[in-house]
Every structure is written in structure tokens, then in C-alpha cells.
Amino acid sequence: MPASKAKKNRILTGIQPSGDMQLGNYLGAVKNWAKNQDIQTNFIPVVDLHTITVKQDPQELKKQTFSLVAMLFACGIDPEKSTVFIQSHIQAHTVLAWILSCTTPIGWLERMIQYKEKSHNQERVSAGLLTYPILMAADILIYDADEVPVGEDQKQHVELTRDIAERFNNLYGETFVLPKAIMPEVGAKLMGLDNPLIKMSKSHAHVRGHAIRMLDDSKEIERSIKRAVTDSYNEIRFSNDKERAGVNNLLGIYQVITGKTVKEVEDDFKDARGYGDLKSRVAGVVISEVEPVQKRYYDLLNDPAELRRLIQKGDNSAKQYAEPKLADVLKKIGLDRDGN
Ligand code: TYM
């Protein structure tokens, strides 16, 4: 089949409007979604319903949701090529999530690493935190997505989505596509600068020196990278050694931004004068990567009417897929209105 006629892969992937977007989200996820939007059909919900598994300030949530859409466009997601929309605006997701929660064993959910981490040592855990991956499965399955590009932390949730889909298909007949998680070869897990043994995370982005936020100015980026935890080996090369995780992380950031091979990156640092030099060069490439994104972001926020128009457009096109799919599911389980 000629390339132009080949069926495009359908992609669905989401991002939470919780806290400030950080470099891990961008390099591990969003930048790749933008890169591939000519060769695949992208559905990108801003998943506000997932965010409320933890209490949010209502005004702040609204603001974060709106500004995350602007940030996605600023990162290169093109509203003409990708469908960016707000999860809570498409109510079919929550209806499907309920249906899937009736076919998913609780044991499958209790095994999820993220659930275990987030519920650990908490006095009260919401049911939503446990059923979170079912809503994620609904996000994916309602668009018949073939692939789900995510960072490493979400891989288990996508595998669970396959199991949920398979179980439903076995119970009610072929209904859902079984999706695959796609992870970048480099950058699938950026680590915290203050602690390179935990992933860089939006929810810790307020902790000084943990993350590089997409809206940090160049001084702040330099400061965070300068403070990054390293080691006493004073050797600039990639390594799986836990003790060298900090340097490995800095080299990884440099590699994913420059697109160079491991060898090319190590060669680039052959003449470096210690970790101070490593840090200032890494800061340099990070700043040149995020500055144009920041400029586009502020330009977009200056035109809220246009942003609202783009959200409406995304919502409308998402509905065109999600609603008929939900109708098909309802029919399969005997909840359609035909005959009553
Ligand atoms: P969220 O909002 O935490 O993260 C959005 C994307 O960024 C990736 N990511 C990272 N990649 C590399 N290094 C890091 N340190 C890093 N931190 C985050 C995440 O893997 C993700 O791809 N549950 C999802 C949102 C979601 C979703 C979905 C994703 C809801 N429905 C359907 C895919 C499909 C989440 O909380 O992502």
C-alpha cells in the first residue's frame, strides 16, 4: 500500500492538569506526541477527572486545565493535526469507566504500583484512586486506540487496559482494540534532580531543586541543575550504577534534547572540566529547548478566545468518535433504548 494510503495508527494519550508541567512530561511524552502527529491520528485529552482523585482547589483546577492546553500547543501539538480536548467535557468516558468497573476484578487494581505508592501510609484513600486506571482504560478504549505513547510510569496501566479490553471482549463479543504502550528509547523516565532515584514528577515540582518546570526562567533552570545531586567519581559517562544515577540523568537529559547517540554524548564531554562544566552545558541545552516553548505559551495565553475555540473544536471531534463507540458498548450489554 502506498504510504499516503496506509491506515494511520490511532494514538490516545493523556496528561493531568495537576501542578506545573515539568521537563519529564515534555521530553518523555509530549515532545514525541508532537513529532509523530503527521504519521498518526492523535487524541490527547487533558485528564481533569483523573486529577480530582486528590483534592484540588476548584479555581486553580480550571486555570491549570486551560493553561495546560496552551502548553500542549506551545510544545508543538498542532490543533489542525491532533485532537486536544478536555476529558470531563466528553461524558462518554465516565459512563464507559463505570461499565468497565463492573467487569474488572478489584485484585487487578490493587496490584498497580502507582496505587500502592500513592496509597502507602495514607489514612484515607479514595475509591477513585483505586479505580483510576479504569478511567484511563475508558479514555483509551473509547477511541479504539492502537497505541498509547507514555513514560515508563504509565506502562503498567496500559497493560491493565489490554486485560480489561480482553475480558470485556470475551464476555460480550469483540468490541475493543487491544492497545499497546509505546515508550521512547531515551527519556522514558527522567529522574528528580534532588533525588535521581525517584522520577521527576509534577506533584513534586514545587519542591526546590526537584524538577525543571517548563515555565522556569533561565536563572531558575541554571540554579536547579547546578544543585543537582551527582557523585564523587568525577567521571562523565552513562552508567546503570545507582550511585551514579544523578550524572546518568543529566546525560540522559542532554541526549534526549540533542538527539545524539550515547557515544556522541560521551564524546561531547571528553574535554569537560568536571561536573560543573557538565551542569552548565546541560543547562544550556535545556534553556534553548524551553525558551521558544515559553514564548509560544505566553502568546497563546494572550488570546483566550482563540484557546476556547480550539478546545471546543477538539471536544467536538472527540465526541464524534466517543459517542458512537459508547452506543455500541451500551447495545452489547443490553443498555440501549431499542425496544423499550
Ligand atoms: P501524567 O500527567 O502524570 O504524565 C503525562 C505523561 O508524562 C509522562 N511522564 C514522564 N516521562 C518521563 N519522565 C518522567 N519523569 C515523567 N513523568 C511523567 C507520563 O508517563 C505520561 O505519559 N495517568 C496519566 C494520564 C492519563 C493517560 C490516559 C495517559 C489519563 N488517561 C490515557 C495515557 C492514556 C498520568 O497521570 O500522566
Side-chain angles (χ1 to χ4, degrees):
M1 208 183 313
S4 58
K5 289 265 164 62
K7 180 181 165 284
K8 283 186 177 179
N9 264 353
R10 187 172 296 179
I11 303 300
L12 181 129
T13 192
I15 181 162
Q16 290 197 58
S18 55
D20 294 325
M21 190 165 133
Q22 41 82 10
L23 199 68
N25 301 124
Y26 173 65
L27 295 180
V30 180
K31 193 177 176 192
N32 293 313
W33 309 343
K35 196 170 84 195
N36 294 327
Q37 62 193 337
D38 284 322
I39 51 164
Q40 60 199 23
T41 307
N42 278 350
F43 286 93
I44 307 175
V46 170
V47 294
D48 50 353
L49 290 166
H50 278 109
T51 303
I52 60 164
T53 47
V54 176
K55 169 94 176 59
Q56 302 292 325
D57 174 78
Q59 288 312 319
E60 204 42 39
L61 176 61
K62 246 192 216 177
K63 214 172 93 197
Q64 299 258 36
T65 303
F66 193 69
S67 47
L68 181 54
V69 175
M71 181 51 89
L72 290 173
F73 292 144
C75 289
I77 305 286
D78 179 343
E80 296 303 324
K81 296 179 181 167
S82 295
T83 301
V84 175
F85 61 101
I86 300 190
Q87 182 194 36
S88 66
H89 295 185
I90 316 297
Q91 291 176 357
H93 289 224
T94 38
V95 178
L96 181 59
W98 170 254
I99 293 168
L100 296 176
S101 76
C102 297
T103 56
T104 304
I106 290 184
W108 289 7
L109 303 171
E110 286 169 337
R111 276 205 304 272
M112 292 296 107
I113 297 165
Q114 206 163 72
Y115 171 70
K116 287 191 201 159
E117 282 173 359
K118 292 198 171 166
S119 59
H120 183 65
N121 279 343
Q122 298 294 322
E123 218 172 274
R124 249 186 238 156
V125 175
S126 72
L129 201 63
L130 179 68
T131 56
Y132 178 111
I134 298 184
L135 179 58
M136 195 166 149
D139 295 339
I140 298 167
L141 299 178
I142 208 162
Y143 297 97
D144 289 323
D146 311 286
E147 292 180 351
V148 185
V150 281
E152 206 178 289
D153 60 327
Q154 297 300 321
K155 183 170 172 246
Q156 195 188 27
H157 288 160
V158 181
E159 285 164 359
L160 176 71
T161 299
R162 277 180 81 87
D163 292 340
I164 291 176
E166 207 166 12
R167 187 175 173 90
F168 189 96
N169 288 351
N170 288 337
L171 291 170
Y172 294 104
E174 215 45 47
T175 308
F176 296 121
V177 171
L178 305 189
K180 245 191 1 239
I182 303 289
M183 277 173 305
E185 274 170 34
V186 189
K189 192 168 185 184
L190 256 62
M191 309 308 279
L193 298 176
D194 57 341
N195 177 357
L197 299 179
I198 62 164
K199 73 159 187 169
M200 189 182 284
S201 147
K202 267 192 252 109
S203 49
H204 290 101
H206 60 282
V207 176
R208 238 172 140 223
H210 169 75
I212 294 163
R213 290 167 300 194
M214 292 303 288
L215 294 176
D216 282 346
D217 64 27
S218 53
K219 286 270 160 304
E220 187 64 40
I221 294 174
E222 272 167 4
R223 261 200 303 271
S224 303
I225 295 183
K226 253 188 201 130
R227 272 202 300 259
V229 168
T230 50
D231 53 59
S232 52
Y233 293 99
N234 217 16
E235 218 183 320
I236 305 180
R237 63 174 175 83
F238 286 96
S239 161
N240 289 327
D241 187 342
K242 268 190 178 177
E243 284 181 49
R244 300 182 188 219
V247 170
N248 196 61
N249 191 38
L250 291 174
L251 288 173
I253 292 173
Y254 181 89
Q255 185 187 13
V256 63
I257 293 177
T258 58
K260 295 187 176 182
T261 63
V262 166
K263 173 154 187 341
E264 286 167 344
V265 171
E266 289 181 343
D267 284 350
D268 277 2
F269 288 99
K270 279 227 163 96
D271 65 336
R273 280 163 286 114
Y275 289 163
D277 213 5
L278 164 71
K279 288 176 172 179
S280 57
R281 292 197 207 170
V282 173
V285 295
V286 171
I287 291 166
S288 356
E289 180 79 15
V290 304
E291 266 180 357
V293 174
Q294 295 177 349
K295 174 160 186 336
R296 284 195 294 273
Y297 171 80
Y298 290 116
D299 287 349
L300 280 159
L301 275 195
N302 273 335
D303 193 351
E306 174 62 1
L307 259 185
R308 274 194 287 274
R309 185 188 74 78
L310 293 175
I311 291 172
Q312 182 76 53
K313 174 170 141 50
D315 288 352
N316 288 343
S317 71
K319 269 186 202 153
Q320 280 178 23
Y321 285 90
E323 288 179 352
K325 184 74 191 181
L326 178 65
D328 177 37
V329 173
L330 290 171
K331 197 166 179 182
K332 288 245 166 69
I333 55 178
L335 294 177
D336 57 323
R337 293 195 185 162
D338 279 359
N340 55 39

